[in-house]
Structure formats: structure tokens, C-alpha cells
Amino acid sequence: MSGCQQVLIKMHASGVNPVDTYIREGMYAVLPELPYVPGKDGAGVVEALGTKVTKFKLEDRVFCSSTSRHGTLGRLATFPEAAVFPLGGNLSFEEGACLGIPYFTAYRALVQKASAKKGERLLVHGASGGVGLAAVQLGRELGLQVVGTAGTDEGISLVKETGAHDVFNHRDPKYLKKLGAEKFDIIIEMLANVNLGNDLTLMNPRGRTIVVGSRGATEINPRNLMQCESAVMGVALGTATAEEVAEVSAAVCGWHQGGWVKPKVHKVYSHDEAAQAHHDIIHNKGAQGNLVAATSPPPRQPPVFHPGSHQPSTTAATSLPPRQPPTLHPGSHQPSTTAATKPPPRQPPALHSLALLYGDDA
Amino acid sequence: MSGCQQVLIKMHASGVNPVDTYIREGMYAVLPELPYVPGKDGAGVVEALGTKVTKFKLEDRVFCSSTSRHGTLGRLATFPEAAVFPLGGNLSFEEGACLGIPYFTAYRALVQKASAKKGERLLVHGASGGVGLAAVQLGRELGLQVVGTAGTDEGISLVKETGAHDVFNHRDPKYLKKLGAEKFDIIIEMLANVNLGNDLTLMNPRGRTIVVGSRGATEINPRNLMQCESAVMGVALGTATAEEVAEVSAAVCGWHQGGWVKPKVHKVYSHDEAAQAHHDIIHNKGAQGNLVAATSPPPRQPPVFHPGSHQPSTTAATSLPPRQPPTLHPGSHQPSTTAATKPPPRQPPALHSLALLYGDDA
């Protein structure tokens, strides 16, 4: 895609996703070239437009999201027009930065993969995080009977407030027995390495478990899939086709402007605290919605992180050459957001971080 | 279904399936009432018709198949009209007795579950058994690129002769590396407890592994499902709806009369050797097609097996009251094939047979 189809966004907020942490650790399947600016979800205002952009005008409030792009954790970011969407006036920039990966994933899982039908019973296993809450909201909107799980009292309350018909504490030793009293047509699974074996016993005939996250291997009994002809499917936004992304984003845009899509922002970190946000999204116990890093007003250079290094280099960025604003020349390739310095050789992953390679990326 | 919709078949051959052995061992999820006659697949000639049967006339050559019915391993059997199908003159009764479970399962797996499309790459993992060979034939008919595995030289030759483009020996320590050189869109898996973890690494983006058989639990890494949005689905004929069964049987009937469906009969056992056939279908190493028990001409009473007993009671049957031919009164319920003696209390399963509970049933 040439620069003439790109949108330059003055970023106000950057959504924080587990995938950001995996990339920073150098432990993700697809690593960007160095140097790079983290952040795949964001919201802000249109600052400049490529000559062929037709959907937007200057000063439009927008959100952007792309699993193949990055750069929202900075003062400015360019995204292709197809990855930029109008942000309804009923949502703040912080909320807008939580629309992309969480809601797109929930939609892809429930609609494009599970083909959810009105009246079906849905279990959102790990419902208090960004994708989980989005799945609860979307499940209600689709007319499903929604059951959630969470691990803390705060998380349980949040999932209930978000619209679940029933919520169980997955730290209660007896929760599985309670859950299984009535089985499910669809399970959205955030931690398959812990739950998948049990999920297979919780499905109705022709049930579908959609794996959104997993941090390792697990044991299952395939007989449980045979007896009721159920299915397990993986979902990852990055594999969606352009047509599928267009469908997802059109639905989520329509819905959030209609009012019922309301991301829960649990905490807003300052720009300087981005490293802490990337830590917390993985290691905090008991999610309660989304984490967001504020990006405006910009105090200084956006942080530049090096995949493969284990300590965030938020301060090291000051030693890089001054950041040039991206130029958008028709016919040129994607603008580079920093000077084209040769990236340092990639370090082999350290063993203590290997588990993260398999972490959930949404 | 009332008797007026039933067909009385003079059986000539009874197909042997693993499920017959599991039921005899008393180790299957759904056990029939005692006493019962084994056999779910069979072929023979129409001997009598309920008053409302329209599809058949006396003396028609037919095959029958039903996962919820049984009784083909006898001189006579009644099946509902919907579970009886015309047998083309190009097939013997022995071949006709191998059409039901093997071809119906292959069709359901490839067409109704995997939605196979022309040009896709198919792996039939365990291709030399009844369902495997049917899947190879059907895969070729659907225009797929078909790769099979087998464990013996004889099995490999048979899978090649049946039409596979390529065949690997799954006892070759390096076969996985050879297999994985080019990945698959569809995998038909006969032994998921051994292969499923690897299958997940052999799939193309949006690949589908269909589990037809499994004899226990296994470890998988759900990340492998996420990265290419692939799926694992169980299949079991018994869960098909009446409409789905009608679709399956119409397709297989049309095809076998068209000529390309040609079941491979590896061995025909005499009526007295049925117990051995039930042993061999599970315990023989290196399948080479289907096993069939001849049922005509009837030398004496059909054997009656008692689920829960571990030794076949092929001779004990002589101590039962003489078997009455079933009567087909319009409006009556399904005829009982033997006198309504109260079944003995069901024995708890013996531990040494537990593994069979999880065996493949097709």
C-alpha cells in the first residue's frame, strides 16, 4: 500500500495487549524489524491524509487497529486507511484505544468462527479481561445466554455489570461441577492450556470451543469431541482476510456508534509508565478490563523498544536520532517512523522467557 | 417407527466394525438391552415388507446400516426403511456389507464436517482400514490430493492401489518429517490419541482435522490451532440427523451404483467365526480393508452375545429359546427379535478392558 492511502494520526491513547509484551520480549512468532514503536491499537485525531484517502478528513476522531502494523504508542502514527475507523463521539480516546483487538477478536470468535445463533448458551472462560468483556457484551447483543468466569470478586462484579446472566469464580474448587450442570454451545477460551480438557466435557452436541489464548500444552481426550461431534477452533485476528476484517470493523463501528459497545478501561498509564503496563497486562492476577497508555500530550520522544532485550528501553530512546515526522508521498512505500539505522543482530530468546512465546496474544 | 415401515431382510453378510467388539465387551457408552444380535452393517435380500414401505419390493438386493440398530449377524433382520438401501448389482453381498459405516463415515467426515473442496490436500492417517480406504476413494472422487499412511507393506500397497497419490509408513521413524514437507488442508484421523498432537503441526491455515477414532487421552498445544486458525472436529455417525443420513446415503448409493465405490473385503469369516472376527477387527496389526461375517446360508441359530461378558457366547446361544422370526404388524412397535426374557443385571466393566471404551468405533 502506498503512502497516498495512509492516514497520519495524532495519537491520544494506545491500547495495551499481551502481544505487545511478547514482541518486546522478542518471544513472538513474527517480530518486527528494529527499531520499532509498540502498539497495535490506538485512538486520536487525523493529522494528515494521503492523497487517495476518501473515508476521512483532517481533525476526524478515529481509532486504528492492525495486527500486522504497530506504532500507536507514540505521538504520531501512520496506518493504512483500511485499518483506521471513525470513533463515535460517545467514546473517549482511551475507550477508543480498546476497540480494535478486543472487540474484533470477540466478533471474529463468536460470529465468524462459532457462527453463534440466538438462544445458544455461551461460556466466556476468563471474562474479565479486554476480550472477555467484549465477548460478554457481544454475546448479549447476539441474543445468547451468557455465562462468564473470573478469578476475583472485583472481576466477577465487573462481568456481571457487563451483562453476563451468570458468573462463576474459576478459583472455586467446585466451580466446574456448578458450570457443568447445564452445558454450552459455545466456549470462548482465554487460557486453553489450563481449561481445554474440561471445556471438551462442557459442550453440548455440536458445540464449539474457540481458543483465543493459550500459554502452553495440555491434555485432552479426543473421545469427548467425537461423542457429541463438537469442535475446537483457534482464532487469531492476524489470519483474517481483508474481506473478513472489513466485515468485523463495519460491525464493531456500527455497534459502538449505536451505543452498546462500551470498553471498560481499568487503568490509564502515563506515557512514561508504558513499560509497567506491558508488565501488568501479562502478570497481574485478576483482569478487570483494558489497560491503556496515554500518548498525548507527548512529553518527549516515543519510547523505542528492542525485541530481544529484556528490560524496556524507555529512556534509551533519547540517544536515537531525533524522530522525523513521517512523510506521505504518493507512490512511496510505507514511511519509516525513524531513521533507517541498521537493526542490531537479534538475540536468541532467553530460556526463562520461553513460556511467553505461547502466551495469549489478544 | 411402526412395523409397517420396516423391512425384513434375509441377511447374506454382516460387516464387522470395532463398535461391535466394544458392545460385546460391555464397554460402550450406549449398550443395547439383552439379549441382542450384533451387527450394524449388512447386506441381503428383502424377505418381507411393512405395509407402508414404498422404496422396496420382495427379493430386492439391499444393504442396511444404522448405528442405533443392530442385528445383521443373523439369518434375518428388520431395519426401518430409512436405514435400508438398494445394493447395486456390481457389488457382492460381502462388499455391500461394507458400505454403511465405512463409506457413510468417510462422507460425513470429508463432506459434512470438513467441507472438502477440490484441489485441497488430504491426509488419511491410518488409511488401510475400512473407513480409511473409503476416505481415500472418496477423496479422489472429490478431486483432492490424497496422501495416506499405513503400517505394513501390504497396507501401503493397498492404499496406493485404492488411489492415494502418496503413501507413508507411519512406523518409519522419519515419516513425520517426510509428511510435513507439504502440509494438509484436511486430516482424517483414526487414532487421535497417538497422532493428534502432530496433526496440529501438519495443517495448512484453516486446516481441519476430523477425529474418527481415538483410544485414549493425548497432549496437544492449542497454540498450533491459533497460529493458522485451524480446527479439530469429532465425527460419529450416530449423531447425524435424519436429513444428514439421507444426504449421506443418497450420495453413497449413487456413487456405488456409478461404479467407483468398491469396498475392499480383506477376509470373510464364517458364521461360527464371528467371535474371531470381532477380536481381529481390534487386535490385528496392519488393517487391509474390511472384515465380513457370512450369515447365509444359516447353519443354525444366530449367535447371541451378552454385553458385559468377556468371552463370546457363540455356542451358548443354543440354550436360548428358539429364535422366532420377527412379525411386522402395522402400528406395532419394533418387533423383538427374541423372546422378551428379562436381561441379566449388567456387570460392571472389568478394568483390563477399560482401554476399549475409548477405542475407535468406526
Side-chain angles (χ1 to χ4, degrees):
Chain A
M1 179 171 296
S2 68
C4 59
Q5 291 173 298
Q6 305 237 352
V7 180
L8 177 66
I9 305 166
K10 183 176 174 187
M11 302 300 310
H12 285 246
S14 172
V16 177
N17 293 292
V19 66
D20 298 316
T21 310
Y22 305 144
I23 291 173
R24 275 189 49 175
E25 296 255 354
M27 307 304 297
Y28 197 63
V30 184
L31 291 174
E33 288 196 12
L34 300 183
Y36 92 109
V37 180
K40 292 175 179 297
D41 281 340
V45 170
V46 173
E47 177 94 356
L49 294 164
T51 53
K52 291 194 177 170
V53 171
T54 58
K55 283 197 321 190
F56 303 103
K57 61 183 191 308
L58 293 181
E59 300 294 326
D60 275 355
R61 285 162 49 88
V62 295
F63 72 99
C64 57
S65 183
S66 167
T67 54
S68 62
R69 300 275 306 177
H70 50 78
T72 61
L73 191 59
R75 189 171 63 89
L76 293 165
T78 54
F79 271 72
E81 184 176 17
V84 183
F85 316 96
L87 177 63
N90 52 334
L91 295 188
S92 68
F93 290 119
E94 288 77 11
E95 291 169 329
C98 308
L99 285 174
I101 290 179
Y103 284 86
F104 289 7
T105 302
Y107 181 95
R108 185 157 178 74
L110 278 173
V111 179
Q112 292 180 330
K113 291 290 168 181
S115 305
K117 289 173 208 66
K118 190 174 177 176
E120 288 193 309
R121 277 177 58 81
L122 166 68
L123 172 63
V124 182
H125 216 160
S128 62
V131 179
L133 292 169
V136 169
Q137 282 179 35
L138 181 53
R140 283 303 298 255
E141 186 67 14
L142 294 170
L144 308 180
Q145 192 73 13
V146 181
V147 176
T149 76
T152 63
D153 289 345
E154 294 78 7
I156 288 169
S157 298
L158 179 58
V159 176
K160 274 185 187 158
E161 285 160 21
T162 303
H165 294 91
D166 210 349
V167 187
F168 294 87
N169 187 333
H170 53 63
R171 292 178 184 161
D172 171 359
K174 294 182 183 167
Y175 92 101
L176 266 179
K177 198 170 173 188
K178 295 174 186 169
L179 261 186
E182 212 173 335
K183 296 192 172 182
F184 298 93
D185 304 296
I186 303 171
I187 300 177
I188 305 293
E189 184 50 75
M190 309 298 169
L191 200 58
N193 54 307
V194 173
N195 300 319
L196 189 60
N198 292 324
D199 292 343
L200 267 49
T201 69
L202 294 173
M203 278 193 281
N204 278 326
R206 310 193 185 208
R208 296 84 76 195
T209 289
I210 314 296
V211 178
V212 172
S214 183
R215 300 188 182 187
T218 190
E219 186 175 282
I220 66 166
N221 190 330
R223 280 309 278 187
N224 293 327
L225 289 170
M226 296 170 62
Q227 277 155 1
C228 57
E229 286 199 339
S230 51
V232 178
M233 301 178 232
V235 70
L237 272 186
T239 61
T241 64
E243 291 72 25
E244 288 169 335
V245 170
E247 177 197 328
V248 171
S249 57
V252 173
C253 284
W255 286 332
H256 95 261
Q257 294 184 351
W260 67 262
V261 160
K262 190 72 178 171
K264 164 72 179 175
V265 177
H266 175 52
K267 187 171 176 183
V268 180
Y269 294 77
S270 75
H271 197 257
D272 284 350
E273 295 169 328
Q276 187 64 43
H278 287 166
H279 174 273
D280 292 351
I281 193 75
I282 297 292
H283 299 289
N284 261 15
K285 296 292 179 196
Q288 295 174 58
N290 297 276
L291 307 184
V292 174
T295 54
S296 177
R300 50 176 184 146
Q301 298 291 331
V304 176
F305 299 119
H306 295 263
S309 70
H310 303 305
Q311 296 305 318
S313 56
T314 45
T315 55
T318 53
S319 63
L320 290 174
R323 183 174 180 283
Q324 301 298 322
T327 50
L328 301 175
H329 298 292
S332 73
H333 292 296
Q334 295 184 359
S336 68
T337 50
T338 61
T341 52
K342 193 174 164 61
R346 184 159 288 161
Q347 299 297 322
L351 284 177
H352 75 273
S353 302
L354 267 177
L356 283 178
L357 181 59
Y358 301 102
D360 46 350
D361 60 357
Chain B
M1 179 172 292
S2 67
C4 58
Q5 291 172 300
Q6 305 238 349
V7 179
L8 177 66
I9 306 166
K10 183 176 174 186
M11 303 299 311
H12 284 247
S14 173
V16 177
N17 294 292
V19 67
D20 298 316
T21 310
Y22 305 144
I23 291 174
R24 275 189 48 175
E25 296 254 357
M27 306 306 297
Y28 197 63
V30 183
L31 290 174
E33 288 197 11
L34 301 183
Y36 92 109
V37 180
K40 293 174 178 297
D41 280 339
V45 171
V46 173
E47 178 94 354
L49 295 164
T51 54
K52 291 193 177 171
V53 172
T54 58
K55 282 196 322 190
F56 303 103
K57 61 183 191 309
L58 293 180
E59 300 294 326
D60 274 356
R61 285 163 47 89
V62 294
F63 72 98
C64 57
S65 183
S66 166
T67 54
S68 61
R69 300 275 307 178
H70 50 79
T72 61
L73 191 58
R75 188 172 62 91
L76 294 165
T78 53
F79 272 71
E81 184 177 16
V84 183
F85 315 96
L87 176 63
N90 53 333
L91 294 189
S92 67
F93 290 118
E94 287 77 11
E95 290 169 329
C98 308
L99 285 175
I101 290 178
Y103 283 86
F104 288 8
T105 302
Y107 182 95
R108 185 157 178 75
L110 278 172
V111 179
Q112 292 181 328
K113 291 290 168 180
S115 305
K117 289 171 208 66
K118 190 174 176 176
E120 290 193 308
R121 276 177 58 81
L122 165 67
L123 172 64
V124 182
H125 216 160
S128 62
V131 178
L133 292 169
V136 169
Q137 283 179 35
L138 181 53
R140 283 303 298 255
E141 186 66 15
L142 294 170
L144 308 181
Q145 192 73 14
V146 181
V147 176
T149 76
T152 64
D153 289 345
E154 294 78 7
I156 288 169
S157 297
L158 179 57
V159 176
K160 275 185 186 155
E161 285 161 21
T162 303
H165 294 91
D166 210 348
V167 188
F168 294 87
N169 188 334
H170 53 64
R171 292 179 184 161
D172 171 359
K174 294 182 182 165
Y175 92 101
L176 267 179
K177 197 170 174 187
K178 295 174 187 169
L179 260 186
E182 212 174 332
K183 296 192 172 183
F184 299 93
D185 304 296
I186 303 171
I187 301 177
I188 304 294
E189 183 51 73
M190 308 299 169
L191 200 57
N193 53 305
V194 172
N195 300 319
L196 188 60
N198 292 324
D199 291 343
L200 267 49
T201 69
L202 294 174
M203 279 193 280
N204 278 327
R206 310 195 185 206
R208 295 86 76 196
T209 289
I210 314 297
V211 178
V212 172
S214 183
R215 301 189 181 185
T218 190
E219 186 176 283
I220 66 166
N221 190 329
R223 279 311 277 188
N224 293 327
L225 289 170
M226 296 170 61
Q227 277 156 0
C228 57
E229 286 199 339
S230 52
V232 178
M233 300 178 232
V235 71
L237 272 186
T239 61
T241 64
E243 291 71 27
E244 288 169 336
V245 170
E247 178 198 326
V248 171
S249 57
V252 173
C253 284
W255 286 333
H256 94 262
Q257 295 184 351
W260 68 260
V261 160
K262 191 72 177 170
K264 165 72 179 175
V265 177
H266 174 52
K267 186 170 177 184
V268 180
Y269 295 78
S270 75
H271 196 259
D272 283 350
E273 295 170 326
Q276 187 64 43
H278 287 168
H279 174 274
D280 292 351
I281 193 76
I282 297 291
H283 299 289
N284 262 13
K285 296 292 178 199
Q288 295 175 57
N290 297 276
L291 307 186
V292 175
T295 53
S296 178
R300 49 173 184 143
Q301 298 291 331
V304 176
F305 299 119
H306 294 262
S309 70
H310 303 305
Q311 296 305 318
S313 55
T314 44
T315 56
T318 53
S319 64
L320 289 174
R323 184 173 180 283
Q324 302 297 322
T327 50
L328 300 175
H329 299 290
S332 72
H333 292 297
Q334 295 184 357
S336 68
T337 51
T338 61
T341 52
K342 193 173 165 61
R346 184 159 288 160
Q347 299 297 323
L351 284 175
H352 75 272
S353 301
L354 269 175
L356 283 178
L357 181 60
Y358 301 102
D360 46 348
D361 59 357

